[in-house]
Amino acid sequence: MWHKVFTAVAIAVCVGVCLSGCSTPGAAKNKGADSNASSSSSSSASAPQSAEGSDRQHYASSLKAYAEWMLKSDDDIRKDSNSTQIPMSDAQRDIINRAIANEGKVSRADYEQSWMNFRSCIMNRGWTDPKPTAYGGFYAVPSMNEEGMSKTQDEKLVSDLNFCSISENTNTDQLYRTQESNPELSTDSDQLLVNCLIQKKVAPTSYTKEQFSKDWSSDSAPAFFSSAEAQECFTLYQYGVANAQDADSYWKPLG
């Protein structure tokens, strides 16, 4: 059995704050009947809006322009006293500023640090450490087992994940993934994912994003979705997929 799950970035996107729009279909809770592990059904984290002056097919004209737009957007949030959007932390702003000075590229050290800052933020809000899963050098928030949590706790968890991801990690994570896996700054995440699946030889060369969309929406996904190679692609392009057989390793926010 497989489940589609939220990553921290997906949560930030679907609340509709910071730099992200929300085109993610379906966000209903899906309880794992076999494992009592819960997950949230979603497509990939919706692609952040393109920078001003760029076309809809690209995030920005360059990686540096993308980073500069992230910083400008955050400046606008900070200046607006009536804004309900979450600004970046000073730590994440420093990372984006360093990226701008480096033609838009985030260092590996800063990528790692942003994830540590996110984890610290979650733990400071009373939850256990959400040790991220790692595939191909990229991180994702682990699948969650929310067994025993009340509705109030569940709502607080979503709110805290949203705040901590936007404040500490979302822009850094997006910028790093873009520089490492999307040099053309394409906003077509479905096609990028399909290209990855084909490149890793887990999907046939005839596989299309239309077929992927059907498979993703199905309750019975192709077997290769659970392969390590496919997991790398899903993690890289922010599509959350979990295997219910791995429920013992799911993150338990309450401990």
Side-chain angles (χ1 to χ4, degrees):
M1 183 182 294
W2 72 292
H3 295 301
K4 289 166 281 186
V5 300
F6 269 143
T7 63
V9 176
I11 290 172
V13 166
C14 284
V15 174
V17 292
C18 196
L19 302 180
S20 303
C22 187
S23 62
T24 304
K29 277 294 179 68
N30 175 19
K31 298 291 182 180
D34 293 339
S35 64
N36 291 322
S38 71
S39 62
S40 297
S41 176
S42 74
S43 179
S44 72
S46 171
Q49 298 170 359
S50 298
E52 296 172 7
S54 65
D55 58 71
R56 291 177 178 269
Q57 285 73 46
H58 301 85
Y59 290 141
S61 58
S62 68
L63 200 63
K64 182 177 181 179
Y66 194 22
E68 289 174 337
W69 178 73
M70 289 177 172
L71 198 63
K72 179 181 180 301
S73 297
D74 190 64
D75 286 339
D76 292 342
I77 291 172
R78 288 173 172 237
K79 291 175 183 177
D80 185 357
S81 59
N82 296 319
S83 177
T84 59
Q85 296 185 347
I86 300 167
M88 287 190 285
S89 67
D90 290 342
Q92 187 171 196
R93 281 181 63 90
D94 287 345
I95 290 174
I96 300 302
N97 271 311
R98 284 195 290 273
I100 291 172
N102 190 35
E103 297 301 317
K105 292 186 176 181
V106 175
S107 69
R108 181 67 193 188
D110 276 342
Y111 176 69
E112 297 274 357
Q113 187 61 54
S114 74
W115 275 95
M116 288 299 299
N117 293 345
F118 163 75
R119 292 166 65 182
S120 294
C121 179
I122 290 296
M123 289 188 286
N124 288 341
R125 287 174 173 253
W127 308 103
T128 62
D129 183 3
K131 296 178 181 178
T133 55
Y135 285 98
F138 296 89
Y139 296 126
V141 170
S143 306
M144 291 183 287
N145 182 340
E146 295 171 278
E147 184 179 9
M149 290 180 61
S150 67
K151 180 180 179 181
T152 299
Q153 288 174 319
D154 186 74
E155 290 174 348
K156 181 180 184 299
L157 175 60
V158 171
S159 177
D160 288 346
L161 283 168
N162 178 61
F163 175 84
C164 291
S165 60
I166 292 174
S167 176
E168 301 294 351
N169 178 257
T170 299
N171 290 334
T172 299
D173 184 84
Q174 177 64 21
L175 195 59
Y176 185 79
R177 289 172 191 273
T178 300
Q179 77 186 39
E180 296 297 316
S181 63
N182 184 12
E184 294 182 357
L185 278 70
S186 171
T187 58
D188 192 348
S189 58
D190 281 2
Q191 187 61 60
L192 290 169
L193 175 67
V194 167
N195 292 346
C196 181
L197 294 172
I198 293 174
Q199 182 179 17
K200 290 187 177 295
K201 302 185 185 302
V202 293
T205 56
S206 59
Y207 197 62
T208 65
K209 67 177 183 179
E210 290 76 20
Q211 183 59 52
F212 166 72
S213 181
K214 292 179 181 178
D215 290 340
W216 185 263
S217 301
S218 172
D219 290 332
S220 179
F224 72 76
F225 271 28
S226 297
S227 69
E229 293 82 4
Q231 289 287 331
E232 287 188 23
C233 294
F234 287 130
T235 300
L236 180 58
Y237 294 108
Q238 300 176 2
Y239 291 72
V241 177
N243 191 330
Q245 294 178 349
D246 298 330
D248 289 343
S249 65
Y250 284 4
W251 172 41
K252 296 181 180 180
L254 294 179

